[in-house]
Amino acid sequence: MKFTGTITHLSQKGLGVVKNAQNNMSYFVYGTWPGDVGEFEVIDKSFNNKKFGFAKLTRLIQPSAQRQTPPCPHVDVSLAEKACTGCPWMIANYTSQLEQKRKRFVYALQRAGFDISQLDIGPVHPSPQLYGYRNRCQLKTDGEQLGFISEDSYQIAPISDCIVLNDACRKLLETAMRQLPNPAWQASADGKWSSIELDDDMQSGEICTNRKRPFKQGNPQQNDRMRAWLKEKLAHNPRLGKVVELFCGSGNFTPIIAASNCSEVIAYESDDQAVQTLRAKNLDKVTVHTTDLFNPLVWRKLQKHVHDAETLVLDPPRAGLKKHQGFFSSFAALRTILYISCNPETFARDAWFFHQNDWTIKDIQLIDLFPHTPHIEILAEFEKLNTTNRKYWRRH
């Protein structure tokens, strides 16, 4: 079924949304932007909702005023299943990208229950570099081709270059492509492809399949901004006391915490390799533990070590804090929470949980780590309310 319509807004996952007047259904459309007028075709893609579905853009009748021609040829939606979907927002100018990222965050908070008028949410801090900023990536290969996975087909979309990678990673990509075809890179019997991770701190001889490298932030300049924010928050807190760091990884933020005026740092992480890397730094005042932070009983297990901590720093994966039961009874002495998040939806969920336990958001900073994508990083400072300054936001 084909229909014409106008993209009214973007979904939480960054897809254009258009309403079909014929059946009053709304459809999610890749490669579109608010203001696009086009012809769309409904596609057969599983979606367990009778009010929504998926469609594809078959003809752009009138482009949005915010549209631009992507400088990367692999973004071309006319390539169908061979289009790389790694930078879906490259179709729009950067100013509008930042506006949409802020809207995504605001909408997530409103859905969770916050009254936005009570919060000071500034513009998103832009990335100094729009291209050549990424210091790492993960590619897929079947031994014959190398690329990223197309969201439309879940097949490998072959690439010849990637302009968001920095020079070191682009050189590694060139080296990897010269090794094709490569029977040793073929997928295992139970998979469609193998993975290759490229990182600007590795040598070309280290390129191999299915070897996971320790996590690090992909935009070093914006990561420096995040570290500076944390350093400032810690420096302006006269009473840090013991600090607990959850999801510490291999220590992106731990040295900043250790250098503060805190009495000690207890850091927790589930990845044992990352823990070993952090321990090898021999940071003063820091004790590191390998712990499954998504275990339903985790807070009860940690209680004897964290009950007197006055400051909490956490930088969880996309799932967020996730386990709420018993959290505040275990962290009984907390006065400050510094939450670094890469997911507006799970951040909003956790922030509302904090709010229900008499915590308020004191500061919010939004950072763009990944231009041309829907992703956004959130830096938030929470403080514990007392009985004299408690205030409530209405729930929507």
Side-chain angles (χ1 to χ4, degrees), residues 305-321:
H305 300 293
V306 306
H307 72 279
D308 57 344
E310 294 188 67
T311 305
L312 173 66
V313 178
L314 68 158
D315 180 20
R318 296 192 62 77
L321 186 61

Side-chain angles (χ1 to χ4, degrees), residues 86-127:
C87 297
W89 283 12
M90 201 177 279
I91 62 171
N93 66 59
Y94 191 50
T95 299
S96 64
Q97 290 183 35
L98 296 178
E99 291 172 352
Q100 291 297 332
K101 292 186 187 219
R102 185 181 182 280
K103 284 182 179 180
R104 180 189 173 195
F105 175 70
V106 168
Y107 180 67
L109 288 185
Q110 288 175 323
R111 287 196 66 185
F114 287 102
D115 177 1
I116 299 303
S117 68
Q118 298 285 342
L119 299 173
D120 183 13
I121 306 173
V124 181
H125 290 286
S127 175

Side-chain angles (χ1 to χ4, degrees), residues 109 112-114 299 312 314 321-331 334 337 339 345-361 382 384 393 395:
L109 288 185
F114 287 102
W299 310 129
L312 173 66
L314 68 158
L321 186 61
K322 201 171 182 179
K323 301 302 177 185
H324 291 172
Q325 187 173 2
F327 180 81
F328 281 115
S329 59
S330 296
F331 286 89
L334 276 187
I337 298 174
Y339 191 154
E345 288 73 37
T346 55
F347 170 83
R349 176 203 66 200
D350 294 341
W352 186 255
F353 165 65
F354 294 168
H355 166 68
Q356 290 178 311
N357 284 271
D358 296 330
W359 287 76
T360 184
I361 301 176
F382 294 82
K384 179 71 173 175
W393 296 299
R395 188 178 182 98

